[in-house]
Amino acid sequence: MATFLYKLGRLSFRRRHFVALIWVALLTLAGVGAASAPAAGNSSFSIPGTEAQKAFDLLEQRFPGTSADGATARVVFKAPSGEKMTDPGNKATVQETVKELSDGSEVVRVTDPYRAKAVSKDGTIAYAQVSYKVSGMELDDAAKDALKDSAQGAREAGLTVEIGGDALQAVPHTGSSEIIGIAVAAVVLVITFGSLVAAGLPLLTALIGVGIGVSAITGLASALDLGSTTSTLAMMIGLAVGIDYALFIVSRYRAELAEGREREEAAGRAAGTAGSAVVFAGLTVVIALVGLSVVNIPMLTKMGIAAAGTVAIAVLIALTMVPALLGYAGRKVKPMGEKGKLLGRAKKQDQPAKPNLGTRWASFVVRRPVAVLLLGVIGLGAAAVPATSLELGLPDDGSQPTSTTQRRAYDLLSEGFGPGFNGPLMVVVDAKDSDDPKAVFAETGDAIKGLKDVVTVTPAQPNKAGDTATITVIPGSKPSSVTTENLVHGIRDAGAGIKADTDANVLVTGSTAMNIDVSEKLNDALVPYLVLVVGLAFLLLIVVFRSILVPLKAALGFLLSVMAALGAVVAVFQWGWLSGLMGVEQTGPVMSMMPIFMVGVVFGLAMDYEVFLVTRMREAYVHGEKPAQAVVTGFRHGARVVTAAAVIMMAVFAGFIGSSESMVKMIGFGLAIAVFFDAFVVRMAIVPAVLALLGRKAWWLPRWLDRALPNVDVEGEGLRTASGDDDRELARV
């Protein structure tokens, strides 16, 4: 592989005009496609195989034309102090508002609070429910403005009016903090390279790669049903890995220049050595992201595949466009150790070389491996302790900031009708195969009334055919409580008995039941996902490092870092530690998909640093250095650039903490803290300590397996042999 990438790097350097033209053309084509593509609506959220999804699909069949997947809004009214909603003046205001709401072209129906008995027992709170033909993300601005204007009219009449539901759902925005993240990355690159030109190359190539990836996602969003979060995730990961991959190529190029090679030869060798590490690092990220399809949640699968595509583009750009731009830069990119005018002049030739910080740190770890190992493991273990209190759920209006109208509507409904009113359960009774459907409907209602934590059970509402009915159940507890979860399982257990007696199917759905099913599905998929992703990457790393213990150590270190990162997420988003600093206005359960998503993404990123850092150690070892010295050599060449890469990745991820979308905010924080733990604790401390303790055993591989594995030559040994510039005897491995 090193030889092929070496030739590709030299070709890209020589034919830089052609290479640059190809990438600019692809960016233009993707941009035009994104601009001309129809606007994407809200990505459908289906969970194949769950009972809640089966019930939803059954409703579509048996109750056609009801727009079960359309947006809803609850317009909640509260009377002024000392008045009631049943007072003539207040009643007239509400009925006028209901009439205005019914005039919208996308409105299916509006319930009158007084006819639907949607007035609280004390008469102070009432609500009208508005159902739309399309989802919240597909509602046009005119419909949303009409909803807000009708509420404003009631407010002017003296009522307190708030609006809940998904009709006011908005496209998430990331805010200016994303730009700050990129700015921090630029500063780190300038400090690392000491040159504006060299620092600008990784930023430029990363932005081009992300531009192509995100534009392609935008262009295909409508056809493939991709949500807005998909492009945000692709941008987040694409920027981080795009900058890092280009950073490693440019750093190796400068090191080759420092050894006296011509610029074209240096570009080829950088692509052949660091480029090989980039390929395998990119493969681990792609495996982790594509592996999310194991969960069988279409939205998560699409997010993973789209982000993996952006990573693949970042790898291709690093291998081709970076060498091409190095050709354009010429002498403006200085050899390693020679600083530009920006940060000072180079050291004099007769000045003795001073060990850099990476060398001094690695030497310390090699001398004190047990102490460093224990300190690192204990520290990460302490950070992981909050993860033992992890509570999973999906966000609803109750998790919104108290400054939003959705949250205030949620609180008013809880005040007037009880906390469970915000998470009603819909029971669908399929009595098509039953002899007496009406009797089955009545039996089901009576069985539910006998369960704990049930406040209200509405009479069954059959369809036109009379073979299917819906029953609405109001729990006594809030939607995200364990008590409500137990009630859902209790209804399903009762339904199993009814099916045995009457052949009727009893299914529970609704947003609360869907959240419960999603959490259980994700929990069930976590272990198979870990086995698949970690197993495939383990095999890949065996090929890269030609070792058993090094990949095993890499996987165990990853588990430490991801558990510590989950503990930090729980501490901030569930317990509320530093919530003000992070902009978390409302604490609550961690999103159900967060653990499995973090496992996928963090594993790929963790293997990035493992490949980049340890390949330099192996390169030194196979060329004759002792194991302990190889660790120090690897840090001398790689620690500075890995540190810069980690800081850049943390800055990019942290930039998304300013997002208005709670999921994006949580992912940004989780990934940023995970990179910190993995890069600076696991890879910079635990890894060298373990390698120092293992010595030559770290690089042991059974001979039969050594013969069976393909030789991918990540260290670029083929390039050294071909050029004859290595006169050292290779160590036996």
Side-chain angles (χ1 to χ4, degrees):
M1 174 178 287
T3 303
F4 169 76
L5 295 178
Y6 165 77
K7 294 178 180 178
L8 179 62
R10 293 194 63 171
L11 179 65
S12 300
F13 188 94
R14 286 198 310 270
R15 306 296 184 187
R16 46 188 172 272
H17 302 306
F18 180 69
V19 172
L21 181 63
I22 289 178
W23 285 111
V24 171
L26 288 175
L27 178 61
T28 304
L29 182 64
V32 171
S36 59
N42 190 28
S43 179
S44 58
F45 189 76
S46 61
I47 314 295
T50 62
E51 180 173 317
Q53 186 64 45
K54 291 177 182 177
F56 182 82
D57 296 338
L58 184 65
L59 286 173
E60 291 287 322
Q61 297 174 7
R62 304 289 174 84
F63 293 83
T66 57
S67 299
D69 59 344
T72 59
R74 279 180 170 177
V75 183
V76 187
F77 306 90
K78 183 176 182 179
S81 178
E83 300 181 15
K84 294 184 179 296
M85 291 305 304
T86 51
D87 294 345
N90 293 335
K91 185 175 182 179
T93 299
V94 171
Q95 290 177 331
E96 179 63 28
T97 303
V98 169
K99 182 179 179 181
E100 292 179 12
L101 291 169
S102 303
D103 294 337
S105 59
E106 295 183 324
V107 174
V108 176
R109 61 185 173 276
V110 181
T111 60
D112 186 319
Y114 304 100
R115 295 181 180 179
K117 298 181 180 180
V119 181
S120 62
K121 291 182 179 180
D122 62 3
T124 60
I125 298 174
Y127 73 92
Q129 181 153 316
V130 187
S131 301
Y132 292 89
K133 298 176 183 177
V134 296
S135 66
M137 294 292 285
E138 295 172 315
L139 272 181
D140 57 32
D141 292 337
K144 294 181 180 180
D145 290 341
L147 179 61
K148 296 175 183 177
D149 292 342
S150 63
Q152 185 59 35
R155 289 191 187 102
E156 293 174 355
L159 299 178
T160 298
V161 187
E162 304 295 346
I163 304 172
D166 59 355
L168 294 182
Q169 186 176 4
V171 177
H173 62 273
T174 56
S176 59
S177 54
E178 177 188 346
I179 307 300
I180 296 174
I182 297 177
V184 171
V187 172
V188 173
L189 287 170
V190 170
I191 295 174
T192 302
F193 292 135
S195 166
L196 289 175
V197 174
L201 291 181
L203 279 176
L204 177 60
T205 54
L207 290 174
I208 291 175
V210 167
I212 294 173
V214 173
S215 296
I217 292 171
T218 304
L220 298 172
S222 179
L224 300 181
D225 190 27
L226 303 177
S228 58
T229 308
T230 303
S231 59
T232 304
L233 173 65
M235 181 187 302
M236 181 190 301
I237 296 179
L239 270 177
V241 300
I243 294 174
D244 280 4
Y245 294 164
L247 169 63
F248 282 99
I249 299 288
V250 175
S251 296
R252 189 58 184 253
Y253 171 77
R254 297 177 69 231
E256 297 293 339
L257 287 179
E259 293 184 8
R261 293 188 173 88
E262 295 294 329
R263 294 188 176 274
E264 182 179 328
E265 177 70 11
R269 286 178 174 270
T273 52
S276 297
V278 165
V279 169
F280 282 98
L283 276 175
T284 58
V285 179
V286 169
I287 288 173
L289 291 171
V290 174
L292 290 171
S293 58
V294 173
V295 185
N296 196 26
I297 295 179
M299 184 186 75
L300 201 57
T301 299
K302 293 171 184 177
M303 289 171 62
I305 293 176
T310 307
V311 172
I313 293 172
V315 172
L316 293 175
I317 283 184
L319 297 175
T320 57
M321 192 171 187
V322 170
L325 292 180
L326 288 172
Y328 283 117
R331 297 186 179 278
K332 293 180 180 178
V333 177
K334 305 293 183 181
M336 186 75 73
E338 181 180 337
K339 296 183 179 180
K341 296 180 180 179
L342 187 64
L343 293 180
R345 294 175 294 179
K347 66 179 185 297
K348 297 179 181 180
Q349 293 293 332
D350 57 351
Q351 184 177 347
K354 181 181 178 181
N356 60 22
L357 181 60
T359 302
R360 297 196 298 273
W361 169 250
S363 300
F364 169 78
V365 175
V366 168
R367 291 195 306 270
R368 300 285 188 271
V370 175
V372 172
L373 178 61
L374 289 177
L375 186 61
V377 172
I378 292 173
L380 290 179
V385 169
T388 59
S389 302
L390 178 67
E391 296 178 7
L392 298 177
L394 288 178
D396 55 17
D397 285 349
S399 62
Q400 296 270 8
T402 53
S403 58
T404 62
T405 185
Q406 293 95 326
R407 173 59 188 275
R408 291 195 291 263
Y410 181 98
D411 292 340
L412 284 176
L413 288 172
S414 297
E415 177 187 340
F417 302 93
F421 196 81
N422 284 292
L425 306 175
M426 179 176 288
V427 179
V428 182
V429 185
D430 179 10
K432 189 174 184 179
D433 298 330
S434 177
D435 296 332
D436 189 355
K438 291 185 178 180
V440 172
F441 300 155
E443 180 182 349
T444 303
D446 292 340
I448 295 173
K449 290 177 182 178
L451 298 176
K452 294 181 180 179
D453 201 48
V454 173
V455 174
T456 304
V457 179
T458 65
Q461 301 293 322
N463 61 351
K464 291 182 179 180
D467 59 3
T468 307
T470 61
I471 300 173
T472 301
V473 180
I474 305 298
S477 303
K478 63 181 182 178
S480 59
S481 67
V482 176
T483 306
T484 301
E485 182 178 348
N486 292 336
L487 174 59
V488 171
H489 290 301
I491 296 174
R492 289 172 174 172
D493 292 340
I498 294 173
K499 179 176 176 59
D501 296 337
T502 65
D503 290 329
N505 289 319
V506 178
L507 307 174
V508 185
T509 189
S511 60
T512 301
M514 183 68 81
N515 290 353
I516 293 170
D517 287 351
V518 169
S519 298
E520 292 179 351
K521 189 177 183 70
L522 289 167
N523 287 337
D524 293 341
L526 184 58
V527 173
Y529 176 70
L530 269 173
V531 172
L532 173 68
V533 173
V534 177
L536 287 176
F538 181 78
L539 295 176
L540 184 65
L541 292 178
I542 289 178
V543 174
V544 174
F545 296 127
R546 308 194 78 78
S547 164
I548 298 294
L549 296 179
V550 171
L552 180 61
K553 172 262 310 168
L556 294 177
F558 150 74
L559 292 176
L560 274 174
S561 58
V562 78
M563 288 303 297
L566 275 177
V569 169
V570 170
V572 173
F573 291 89
Q574 186 175 311
W575 292 359
W577 293 6
L578 302 177
S579 58
L581 181 63
M582 297 296 167
V584 180
E585 298 185 36
Q586 182 63 36
T587 59
V590 174
M591 276 173 294
S592 300
M593 64 180 65
M594 188 66 188
I596 198 166
F597 183 80
M598 278 192 65
V599 165
V601 177
V602 174
F603 181 78
L605 300 179
M607 295 308 102
D608 271 5
Y609 299 117
E610 183 75 14
V611 170
F612 289 136
L613 193 60
V614 180
T615 48
R616 293 305 297 259
M617 298 179 189
R618 175 172 170 77
E619 183 177 347
Y621 176 70
V622 299
H623 291 111
E625 293 188 7
K626 294 181 179 180
Q629 183 57 39
V631 171
V632 176
T633 300
F635 267 76
R636 182 171 68 249
H637 291 294
R640 179 183 177 89
V641 69
V642 168
T643 300
V647 173
I648 289 169
M649 197 170 280
M650 288 168 56
V652 172
F653 288 149
F656 289 84
I657 296 176
S659 174
S660 63
E661 176 65 41
S662 59
M663 177 179 177
V664 175
K665 181 189 291 288
M666 191 178 293
I667 289 174
F669 171 79
L671 294 184
I673 197 69
V675 168
F676 172 77
F677 287 144
D678 196 85
F680 294 105
V681 181
V682 175
R683 309 304 153 189
M684 292 289 184
I686 294 178
V687 165
V690 171
L691 291 178
L693 290 172
L694 291 176
R696 294 185 181 274
K697 295 178 182 178
W699 307 108
W700 172 80
L701 186 69
R703 290 187 177 182
W704 64 267
L705 185 56
D706 188 26
R707 291 191 297 268
L709 292 177
N711 183 14
V712 295
D713 191 19
V714 176
E715 300 83 16
E717 178 54 33
L719 302 181
R720 291 177 177 268
T721 304
S723 62
D725 63 353
D726 183 22
D727 57 359
R728 290 175 296 184
E729 183 179 354
L730 299 183
R732 293 181 62 86
V733 292

